[in-house]
Amino acid sequence: MNYDLREVCANFALRGDYVIGMPFGTGHINDTNAVTCDQGGTLVRYIVQRINTNVFRQPEQLMENFERVTSHIRGKLRRERKTNPATRRRTLELVPAKDGRPFVRDAAGNFFRCYVFVENARTYDILETEKQAYEAAAAFGGFQSDLADLDGRLNETIPEFHNTVSRLAALENAVKENRAGRLAEVSAELDFIRARASECSTLLDLQAAGEIRERTTHNDTKLNNVLIDDLTGTGCCVIDLDTVMPGLPHYDFGDMVRTGTSPAAEDERDLSLVTMRFPMYEALLRGYLAGAGNFLSPLEKSLLPFSGKLITLEIGIRFLTDYLEGDVYFRIHRPGHNLDRCRTQLALVKSIESQYDAMRRLAEQL
Ligand code: ADP
Ligand code: GN1
Ligand code: MG
């Protein structure tokens, strides 16, 4: 950590005295800390994050999106008079800096933001039950639905974020450059990905032809980006709003399939454990449609199973690219970590392919 959390917190309009702060969560991009403050004898927690500015080059624009999105949702909750505690927690609540801005910038150029810690809820890296899958997917679907009437277009915090064709081109470029000298190790993975290259443009082609259309989407619906209420088991708050921007709804559903159906961790080395659990897929599909089904066209709905395969392949491509480039993007915790992550994604693609007909049949039925 090249910053002093206590000093950073002194610049936010926090009520109470700083007690302790420590790293929190398992995200790959930002530095997340849980900070405890003493408010007149009661301990209250906040999340304080340093935004990864190598990834998010324009943090001011990102925070502008953040405020627009959370205030839109908050306004909706107010109008719906949903003032009970369960619905009040439905969106992140920023704590402004003492100068009124939505972030603090320190002398070293680090950007920080702070929000209220949502207590009595947690995220799961691996979903345990079908109810969790249903509730998490319903929360992400509801999030898209809440933003369907947002005025104007949000800033693109990472351009071409889910352009799978560009992601594949970036991989081929990393292959050509072989910057970390690791190319010889990855020939099986490359063959697997190249054999599926033609599928990378499917959604983009349909979008270009006007058959499916852009909306405001989350774009990082890893299942640990939704908080599940400890008491009720419902998906109470969608978090990690850095990539909320224009996108296809399929990107969100696809990433839920990627992260919600396998009983194995994203970086599991025993690939025999990686499998697409059909009941979890069914729960995700039902939950997502309960949240977002009202605004999707029949064609869009029919492409949901495909999105699971595509986004799993896409993230596999990104992990492999980062491995070849020398681990410059995703935080790693061991040598070979990005290659392990790539391999689990490809194993999951294989498992999805073996159950694809049944996945499509279910989507048609629903
Ligand atoms: P990253 O972009 O690094 O993934 P996230 O915004 O997803 O960062 O935060 C990392 C983790 O911190 C989450 O997975 C979640 O467990 C926890 N977290 C984030 N925001 C909150 C919050 N407001 N209340 C409780 N926990 C939170
Ligand atoms: C990153 O920030 P986090 O850990 O929720 C990444 C996602 C990937 C994911 C893979 C901004 O998500 O796109 O799907 O890792 N976020 C960004 O686990 O690149
Ligand atoms: Mg996250």
Side-chain angles (χ1 to χ4, degrees), residues 50-51 57 65 73 75 144 158 164 237 327 332 352 355:
R50 184 177 72 127
I51 300 173
R57 302 264 169 189
N65 280 0
I73 297 176
Q144 285 184 351
I158 303 180
T164 317
C237 185
D327 310 310
I332 60 163
I352 291 174
Q355 301 176 72

Side-chain angles (χ1 to χ4, degrees), residues 11 13 20 35 45-46 68 104 117 137 165 219 232 240 256 275 283 314 328:
N11 292 301
I20 192 171
V35 166
R45 291 201 288 177
Y46 296 92
R68 281 179 66 190
V104 162
F117 195 105
V165 173
N219 296 303
T232 62
D240 205 342
M256 291 180 226
T275 166
E314 181 188 284
V328 293

Side-chain angles (χ1 to χ4, degrees), residues 262-292:
S262 175
E266 188 183 58
D267 56 0
E268 175 59 57
R269 277 184 273 203
D270 180 352
L271 297 182
S272 71
L273 300 177
V274 179
T275 166
M276 205 292 293
R277 291 175 290 179
F278 200 88
M280 292 301 247
Y281 162 74
E282 175 162 359
L284 288 173
L285 189 58
R286 287 182 186 277
Y288 175 67
L289 289 173

Side-chain angles (χ1 to χ4, degrees), residues 27-29 56 161 220 222 225 240 258 266 315 318 329:
H28 298 336
I29 303 293
F56 300 105
F161 189 58
D220 188 4
K222 188 149 88 168
N225 285 332
D240 205 342
R258 178 181 82 83
E266 188 183 58
I315 310 298
R318 290 177 59 197
Y329 186 92

Side-chain angles (χ1 to χ4, degrees), residues 24 27 30 32 47 49 92 115-118 123 224-225 239-240:
F24 194 80
N30 296 310
T32 304
I47 289 281
Q49 281 181 323
L92 287 174
Y115 24 81
V116 174
F117 195 105
V118 179
T123 54
N224 70 12
N225 285 332
I239 61 170
D240 205 342

